[in-house]
Amino acid sequence: MTTTPSAPLDAPDEDRLLAGFDATIARNDRIEPRDWMPEGYRKTLVRQVAQHAHSEIIGMQPEGNWLTRAPSLRRKAILLAKVQDEAGHGLYLYSACETLGVSRAELTEMLIEGRQKYSSIFNYPTLSYADVGTIGWLVDGAAICNQVPLCRTSFGPYGRAMIRICKEESFHQRQGYELLMTMMRGTDEQRAMVQESVDRFWWPALMMFGPPDAESPNTAQSMAWGIKRNTNDDLRQRFVDMTVPQAEALGVTLPDPDLVWNEDRGHHDFGEPDWEEFMAVVKGNGPCNAQRIAHRRRAHEDGAWVREAATAFAARSRIAGAQQARVEEESTR
Ligand SMILES: [Fe+2]
Ligand SMILES: [Fe+2]
């Protein structure tokens, strides 16, 4: 943040810092970790970036479920690459979050203790291999709608992480669509599997954008701070408009009798997701919430020896490095 605060020079410190911060946001410049920021801005970002990181990591589970049962070596290689990408996304985002003064260990604790959330979509089960395709097409598709605008978010490390993540998400979406297209060109049974999967994932995918704008109390402040660039309803509309022609090309029906093109608006009208179901899933009562957290906790505990070994190795390397430097220094005397 290289700004000249617009508050008078004799203003109290806090006011001048805030004026500098506001000026940076107004210019659409990035706030960097070394810059002063209001505590509310920092807290909102920690919550959003952590929730995003947790979603990437928990999101590995529904699809990881099918890794050992992929129908061919090619499908297995694609799915492995995709699931590993999600692990990488989690790591970029935890790193971005750490620049806000919270450690990855603390974030993991908050996740497995249920004090921080992740996307509601990952609390639904994956019942067939068609779900791998549907998740790529609809879930990664919704993620792209959400995340492309976040490349311009006001916090530097978050925006830069999103640029790289979005490139990989578009591969995820395309592999899902290609899998579904292959199945749709197959047998009647395969086409029925695709339709059944789309029927289950359509509404939860729409819920990924969060509650309607009228019930999203944090949106206005997040937009004023340049953290969010679009409202939930805007992004949901964009997703529906993008997805309908893809569903037609695929030959599947989206399970919404109210879905229709509205010539006046230049957008599709569509039905209302079941917000009671959404709230139940967010509060921990979805079909797989307990299973997802239990699995994450087990993986964390099973990985304790790796973290200990890596810490011990790093400490030893530091000692060895210091000894080496001393030897070199003495030999040059
Ligand atoms: Fe991802
Ligand atoms: Fe993805």
Side-chain angles (χ1 to χ4, degrees), residues 56 63 82 85-86 89 139-140 143 147 165 168-170 172-173:
E56 303 283 354
E63 291 182 284
K82 197 232 176 194
D85 281 355
E86 305 300 5
H89 297 175
V139 175
D140 290 276
Q147 292 172 8
I165 288 172
E168 293 176 347
E169 296 300 358
S170 73
H172 297 172
Q173 205 241 3

Side-chain angles (χ1 to χ4, degrees), residues 31 38 68 88 198 213-214 216 226 231 240 265 301 310:
I31 303 294
T68 54
V198 170
D213 292 348
S216 178
T231 72
V240 171
R265 290 203 307 124
E301 285 163 3

Side-chain angles (χ1 to χ4, degrees), residues 285-323:
N285 301 315
C288 299
N289 294 61
Q291 179 190 334
R292 299 291 185 237
I293 290 297
H295 185 96
R296 182 70 196 91
R297 175 176 289 131
R298 202 163 52 242
H300 186 64
E301 285 163 3
D302 288 351
W305 71 271
V306 180
R307 291 190 296 279
E308 280 163 26
T311 309
F313 180 75
R316 251 192 19 205
S317 304
R318 259 196 312 277
I319 293 169
Q323 278 169 349

Side-chain angles (χ1 to χ4, degrees), residues 14-305:
E14 181 99 350
D15 289 354
R16 290 182 46 214
L17 290 166
L18 183 60
F21 172 87
D22 288 344
T24 304
I25 298 287
R27 281 198 315 272
N28 274 325
D29 268 355
R30 302 265 208 209
I31 303 294
E32 296 297 338
R34 63 176 179 272
D35 297 333
W36 183 90
M37 60 187 84
E39 188 54 17
Y41 177 84
R42 195 188 71 82
K43 277 195 175 142
T44 301
L45 269 169
V46 167
R47 193 185 65 232
Q48 179 170 332
V49 180
Q51 184 166 323
H52 195 161
H54 298 328
S55 301
E56 303 283 354
I57 296 297
I58 295 287
M60 296 165 75
Q61 291 184 38
E63 291 182 284
N65 179 37
W66 286 93
L67 278 174
T68 54
R69 290 170 290 164
S72 68
L73 184 59
R74 177 172 175 266
R75 290 294 168 198
K76 182 166 180 156
I78 294 171
L79 185 56
L80 260 178
K82 197 232 176 194
V83 172
Q84 286 176 346
D85 281 355
E86 305 300 5
H89 297 175
L91 296 187
Y92 309 153
L93 291 165
Y94 282 131
S95 300
C97 207
E98 284 191 306
T99 69
L100 292 158
V102 49
S103 75
R104 190 168 146 203
E106 288 171 296
L107 294 168
T108 303
E109 276 305 304
M110 286 195 267
L111 169 67
I112 60 185
E113 285 170 8
R115 286 188 284 134
Q116 280 182 338
K117 296 194 187 336
Y118 55 89
S119 176
S120 56
I121 191 75
F122 301 119
N123 293 310
Y124 291 86
T126 43
L127 305 179
S128 78
Y129 207 81
D131 288 357
V132 171
T134 308
I135 288 177
W137 175 39
L138 296 180
V139 175
D140 290 276
I144 290 169
C145 279
N146 252 329
Q147 292 172 8
V148 166
L150 288 176
C151 295
R152 295 180 292 109
T153 193
S154 58
F155 186 59
Y158 190 29
R160 288 188 289 273
M162 290 321 304
I163 291 169
R164 183 157 173 179
I165 288 172
C166 282
K167 289 185 179 147
E168 293 176 347
E169 296 300 358
S170 73
F171 151 68
H172 297 172
Q173 205 241 3
R174 285 163 64 177
Q175 67 80 34
Y177 195 73
E178 190 263 350
L179 167 57
L180 296 182
M181 191 56 100
T182 305
M183 291 183 77
M184 291 304 284
R185 290 189 185 130
T187 62
D188 283 348
E189 207 183 347
Q190 286 175 308
R191 277 187 284 277
M193 274 171 79
V194 172
Q195 185 62 60
E196 188 274 338
S197 173
V198 170
D199 288 346
R200 271 185 292 113
F201 273 98
W202 175 248
W203 292 108
L206 290 190
M207 295 174 196
M208 284 175 68
F209 298 94
D213 292 348
E215 284 147 50
S216 178
N218 298 325
T219 293
Q221 179 62 78
S222 281
M223 286 182 69
W225 275 332
I227 296 176
K228 268 175 96 155
R229 294 293 183 185
N230 305 85
T231 72
N232 298 352
D233 287 337
D234 281 349
L235 293 167
R236 198 169 2 253
Q237 179 73 63
R238 193 178 290 186
F239 173 70
V240 171
D241 289 340
M242 176 184 97
T243 307
V244 168
Q246 295 172 353
E248 278 164 14
L250 210 49
V252 296
T253 309
L254 297 172
D256 179 357
D258 298 327
L259 184 62
V260 61
W261 176 252
N262 182 326
E263 192 65 52
D264 294 342
R265 290 203 307 124
H267 292 290
H268 293 86
D269 291 339
F270 55 98
E272 200 66 33
D274 179 350
W275 295 116
E276 271 177 38
E277 175 184 317
F278 172 74
M279 285 317 297
V281 176
V282 166
K283 285 186 180 143
N285 301 315
C288 299
N289 294 61
Q291 179 190 334
R292 299 291 185 237
I293 290 297
H295 185 96
R296 182 70 196 91
R297 175 176 289 131
R298 202 163 52 242
H300 186 64
E301 285 163 3
D302 288 351
W305 71 271

